[in-house]
């Protein structure tokens, strides 16, 4: 049995991807995308869509034999807020929204895998039961949480999960298999500093949250420089600050948003502890009140030794060039699936030889569609794991 897309099947998958690319939808609003996925899966024999109750996204199943494993293949489906500047006949038709992370390619690759798996099932050669998870809202990392909270994976109890991200810094079709931590853990947070506003000419009657916020931001810079092991470090960035209005009025409060990322759980723990202490105590020193709203902690994407062996074998079977990579401080909510089952995350190179890589999330980002052949086959080989 052939595990690769035929030219005709590839053309179908490419047309599917181009359609998604023209109609990008942001996190939790992937309604049209979900309908298109449903349509595509419904046309394939042997595939059932589960009744999960998801508002967007879905899980489909291709049932194998009783003695087989249960394998979950995951693709993310959402686009981002970005204006597309790359010219093509299938450029985004929604101003300000774009598939600038290539999730359209991930989704279409999984559709490609469904095409192949449907044929394998029809030929009576499918041993494992394969679940196809089209996950919404990877951007903002709330989609995997929604899937986990639905409880559906507790019922499915997958034995293994696989996913991938296109990676512009790698040459087209190269598959990166990395053992250990691949992508960063992260915790986003919002700080609110409350003072007491008043006339700008009477500082003795007010409590100024702007001066306090400046001190908090400065002091937070010491978390990485003074509290982290230089060989096991973290990143801390304050990315937004907002507060105050006219020139002669002291503000009532200031809000800032920030992120901490680290490849190690230990460093992330320590950084969180220090942010809490520095913020609260600095606010106190300036007679302000501080509140920190911690968002969900996303663990690192971690490929275990056992999963590495399995995943490497599947990659080798595709005949693709395989490489190892340095981890990235980018994060991925695929990481949460390792709380349910052993998981493996691949990167697949997406920049053709001779072209300069255009980074993820950039307005001129685009992917090399031909890598969907490798991606679809890789999904299928992983799904056929003995
Ligand atoms: Ni992405």
């Amino acid at each position: 049995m052939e595990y690769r897309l035929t030219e005709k099947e590839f053309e179908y998958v490419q047309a599917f991807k181009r359609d998604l690319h023209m109609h990008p939808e942001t996190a939790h609003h992937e309604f049209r995308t979900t309908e298109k996925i449903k349509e595509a899966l419904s046309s394939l024999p042997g595939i059932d869509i589960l009744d999960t109750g998801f508002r967007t996204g879905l899980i489909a199943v291709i049932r194998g034999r009783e003695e087989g494993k249960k394998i979950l293949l995951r693709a993310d489906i959402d686009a981002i807020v970005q204006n597309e500047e790359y010219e093509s006949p299938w450029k985004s038709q929604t101003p300000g929204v774009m598939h600038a992370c290539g999730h359209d390619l991930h989704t279409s690759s999984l559709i490609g895998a469904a095409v192949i798996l449907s044929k394998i099932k029809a030929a009576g050669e499918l041993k494992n039961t394969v679940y196809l998870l089209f996950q919404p809202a990877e951007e903002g990392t709330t989609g995997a949480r929604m899937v986990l909270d639905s409880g559906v994976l507790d019922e499915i109890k997958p034995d293994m999960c696989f996913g991938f991200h296109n990676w512009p810094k790698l040459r087209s079709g190269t598959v990166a298999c990395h053992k250990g931590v691949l992508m960063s853990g992260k915790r986003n947070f919002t700080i609110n500093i409350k003072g007491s506003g008043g006339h700008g000419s009477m500082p003795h009657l007010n409590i100024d949250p702007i001066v306090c916020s400046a001190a908090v931001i400065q002091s937070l810079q010491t978390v990485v420089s003074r509290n982290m092991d230089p060989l096991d470090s973290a990143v801390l960035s304050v990315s937004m600050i907002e507060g105050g209005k006219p020139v002669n009025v002291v503000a009532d409060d200031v809000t800032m948003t920030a992120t901490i990322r680290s490849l190690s759980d230990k460093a992330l723990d320590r950084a969180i502890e220090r942010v809490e202490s520095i913020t609260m105590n600095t606010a106190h020193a300036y007679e302000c009140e501080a509140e920190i709203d911690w968002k969900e902690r996303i663990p690192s994407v971690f490929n275990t030794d056992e999963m590495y062996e399995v995943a490497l074998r599947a990659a080798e079977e595709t005949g693709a060039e395989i490489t190892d990579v340095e981890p990235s401080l980018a994060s991925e909510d695929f990481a949460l699936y390792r709380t349910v089952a052993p998981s493996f995350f691949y990167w697949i190179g997406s920049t053709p030889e001779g072209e300069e890589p255009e980074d993820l999330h950039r307005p001129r980002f685009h992917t090399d569609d031909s890598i969907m052949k490798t991606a679809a086959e890789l999904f299928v080989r992983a799904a056929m794991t003995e």
Side-chain angles (χ1 to χ4, degrees):
M1 183 93 209
E2 190 62 46
Y3 290 172
R4 278 186 91 76
L5 292 167
T6 63
E7 266 319 303
K8 204 162 153 246
E9 287 163 347
F10 173 70
E11 279 169 24
Y12 164 75
V13 169
Q14 187 175 42
F16 185 88
K17 187 229 163 191
R18 287 173 172 173
D19 175 70
L20 292 191
H21 196 85
M22 283 167 79
H23 302 99
E25 296 173 303
T26 54
H28 299 295
H29 294 87
E30 310 93 334
F31 297 106
R32 181 185 183 279
T33 307
T34 303
E35 277 313 306
K36 289 287 162 188
I37 296 166
K38 267 186 198 162
E39 264 175 40
L41 295 176
S42 303
S43 71
L44 298 170
I47 301 190
D48 297 319
I49 294 168
L50 301 184
D51 183 14
T52 55
F54 296 172
R55 244 164 56 94
T56 57
L58 62 89
I59 303 181
V61 62
I62 314 173
R63 291 181 208 282
R65 293 197 289 274
E66 195 62 40
E67 71 275 19
K69 292 189 168 65
K70 288 187 273 188
I71 310 284
L72 184 92
L73 306 176
R74 175 272 206 175
D76 41 14
I77 68 173
D78 56 323
I80 69 167
V81 175
Q82 174 67 271
N83 210 35
E84 179 155 28
E85 288 176 11
Y86 187 73
E87 292 302 329
S88 73
W90 38 90
K91 186 177 174 178
S92 167
Q93 293 187 350
T94 311
V97 182
M98 174 191 174
H99 269 293
C101 204
H103 298 184
D104 51 348
L105 180 134
H106 305 164
T107 300
S108 306
S109 298
L110 191 52
I111 293 288
V115 168
I116 303 167
L117 287 163
S118 167
K119 288 198 301 185
I120 295 174
K121 164 140 176 142
E125 292 177 20
L126 188 66
K127 184 175 169 192
N128 293 337
T129 292
V130 187
Y131 292 89
L132 311 172
L133 166 57
F134 292 89
Q135 182 211 296
E138 195 288 319
E139 301 294 345
T141 53
T142 52
R145 169 50 55 206
M146 183 283 289
V147 172
L148 292 180
D149 287 349
S150 76
V152 64
L153 296 189
D154 299 327
E155 284 167 37
I156 292 174
K157 296 192 180 64
D159 294 301
M160 294 178 188
C161 307
F162 294 90
F164 83 97
H165 208 290
N166 73 93
W167 210 252
K169 288 193 177 67
L170 294 173
R171 195 150 31 84
S172 279
T174 308
V175 177
C177 292
H178 182 74
K179 199 189 286 188
V181 61
L182 178 69
M183 299 177 79
S184 173
K186 83 164 177 193
R187 189 116 197 229
N188 292 345
F189 57 100
T190 301
I191 299 176
N192 186 260
I193 306 279
K194 274 195 184 52
S196 172
H199 200 287
S201 67
M202 301 169 197
H204 56 299
L205 300 179
N206 311 317
I207 298 173
D208 186 351
I210 290 195
V211 174
C212 174
S213 299
V216 168
I217 294 172
Q218 284 299 330
S219 304
L220 287 178
Q221 306 312 308
T222 65
V223 173
V224 173
S225 71
R226 301 293 85 194
N227 302 130
M228 293 293 115
D229 176 345
L231 299 178
D232 182 19
S233 197
V235 172
L236 192 162
S237 299
V238 177
S239 49
M240 189 279 288
I241 173 162
E242 195 172 44
K245 284 189 190 81
V247 66
N248 57 350
V249 177
V250 170
D252 278 314
D253 66 341
V254 170
T255 301
M256 35 191 151
T257 56
T259 186
I260 315 175
R261 288 152 185 263
S262 177
L263 297 175
S264 105
D265 288 346
K266 194 172 133 212
L268 198 54
D269 284 342
R270 177 75 175 133
I272 290 168
E273 188 184 289
R274 292 301 297 142
V275 166
E276 186 85 35
S277 171
I278 286 172
T279 304
M280 293 304 171
N281 288 305
T282 306
H284 184 70
Y286 284 77
E287 298 184 309
C288 288
E289 276 174 39
E291 266 176 31
I292 306 181
D293 176 17
W294 290 102
K295 307 299 179 202
E296 180 173 13
R297 179 174 175 160
I298 303 296
S300 57
V301 173
F302 192 93
N303 295 326
T304 61
D305 290 4
E306 297 80 46
M307 284 303 290
Y308 172 77
E309 295 304 328
V310 170
L312 181 64
R313 211 173 311 130
E316 282 170 350
E317 285 167 1
T318 67
E321 186 188 333
I322 294 168
T323 188
D324 195 3
V325 282
E326 291 294 321
S328 163
L329 266 293
S331 62
E332 233 304 333
D333 74 359
F334 179 82
L336 286 169
Y337 298 116
R338 74 171 152 104
T339 63
V340 179
S343 302
F344 194 90
F345 203 64
Y346 296 98
W347 289 346
I348 302 182
S350 54
T351 302
E353 178 128 46
E355 267 188 41
E356 277 300 302
E358 196 66 53
D359 227 348
L360 300 168
H361 291 204
R362 301 296 300 151
R364 292 185 52 74
F365 172 81
H366 54 284
T367 47
D368 175 359
D369 287 350
S370 74
I371 75 164
M372 292 192 290
K373 292 179 189 168
T374 304
E377 182 175 0
L378 186 57
F379 267 140
V380 172
R381 298 275 180 189
M384 301 293 279
T385 295
E386 282 291 324

